[in-house]
Amino acid sequence: DLLGLVALGELLAFERMAGDARLAPDLRRRAALGEMAAAEIANYRRIADRITVLRVAPQEAMAPYVAALQAYHDSTEPRDWAEAVTKAYVGDAITDDFIRQIAAALDEADRQLVLDVLHDSRYAEFAAAEIRIAIDADPRVAHRLSMWARRLVGEALSQANRVAAADRGALTTLTAQRERVDVEALFRQLTAAHTERMAAAGLNN
């Protein structure tokens, strides 16, 4: 089930980034986002192949999570380039942090596969740099993007409840298998990491 969730996330990220590339102000940036999209679809294929090895059809593993993840992307459609890179920077990172924590309960091979397909730090650095460039060009943008980032996190948490409701028990079991799991501590870690990322990009938490 976790692999299904990750596979769907990669597939939808590919679709989103490929579409958002049209918002890029120049060809260099358009190509950069296109490369990010290409990495997402390659990651999807790796996860889908692993699911197939486990004798499950990838579409079946992904199906329970389609409504929640699609709703998140539909409700957070960026209006311009700055919002697009902020979504790539903030939304993807908090999702990666959460999956990284759950993946700790997987066996070594699957855990390493999941960690390998989480978003490359160079793409986060590219997105953060683009956010800082936008703010330097117009400092007023910082407030708008900070509000946008808060909305992204709020929508992500809202849809996380739908993911939990759609889960067939496997993710809950994985979480429970972690030694001395502390849900409150987990969310504190996620919040702290998010706050640090916001500051690094010049945004207010």
Side-chain angles (χ1 to χ4, degrees):
D1 281 15
L2 177 60
L3 294 178
L5 177 60
V6 174
L8 180 61
E10 296 293 338
L11 181 59
L12 293 182
F14 159 73
E15 294 177 354
R16 170 176 54 84
M17 289 182 180
D20 289 349
R22 73 189 189 282
L23 299 172
D26 57 44
L27 292 177
R28 179 184 68 81
R29 292 177 172 90
R30 186 172 184 176
L33 204 59
E35 290 176 0
M36 293 169 67
E40 300 289 2
I41 200 63
N43 288 336
Y44 161 78
R45 175 43 54 196
R46 291 181 64 188
I47 297 292
D49 286 347
R50 175 56 180 159
I51 294 172
T52 301
V53 168
L54 296 173
R55 299 182 180 180
V56 177
Q59 61 267 28
E60 292 180 9
M62 294 187 290
Y65 311 111
V66 170
L69 268 65
Q70 190 64 60
Y72 167 73
H73 287 298
D74 289 346
S75 64
T76 56
E77 189 75 21
R79 295 173 296 177
D80 56 25
W81 175 248
E83 289 190 359
V85 292
T86 300
K87 182 175 179 178
Y89 180 68
V90 173
D92 290 350
I94 198 167
T95 300
D96 285 355
D97 287 346
F98 180 68
I99 290 176
R100 189 177 289 110
Q101 293 292 332
I102 298 178
L106 293 173
D107 60 46
E108 177 61 27
D110 285 330
R111 178 170 66 252
Q112 193 56 55
L113 174 60
V114 170
L115 295 178
D116 283 348
V117 303
L118 295 184
H119 297 87
D120 194 317
S121 61
R122 61 186 166 147
Y123 294 133
E125 291 163 4
F126 166 79
E130 289 297 308
I131 294 169
R132 289 191 292 267
I133 289 171
I135 293 172
D136 288 343
D138 183 358
R140 293 172 299 179
V141 169
H143 176 71
R144 176 168 69 88
L145 294 183
S146 295
M147 295 296 292
W148 172 241
R150 292 193 195 101
R151 179 181 168 189
L152 290 170
V153 173
E155 290 289 344
L157 293 176
S158 175
Q159 297 308 326
N161 290 327
R162 294 185 65 181
V163 167
D167 177 42
R168 295 169 289 202
L171 301 187
T172 301
T173 301
L174 278 175
T175 304
Q177 285 175 353
R178 294 193 58 199
E179 295 182 3
R180 297 182 297 278
V181 64
D182 184 335
V183 175
E184 290 186 2
L186 170 60
F187 277 95
R188 283 197 298 271
Q189 292 171 11
L190 296 176
T191 301
H194 169 68
T195 300
E196 185 175 335
R197 277 190 296 270
M198 292 279 282
L203 300 176
N204 299 317
N205 191 44

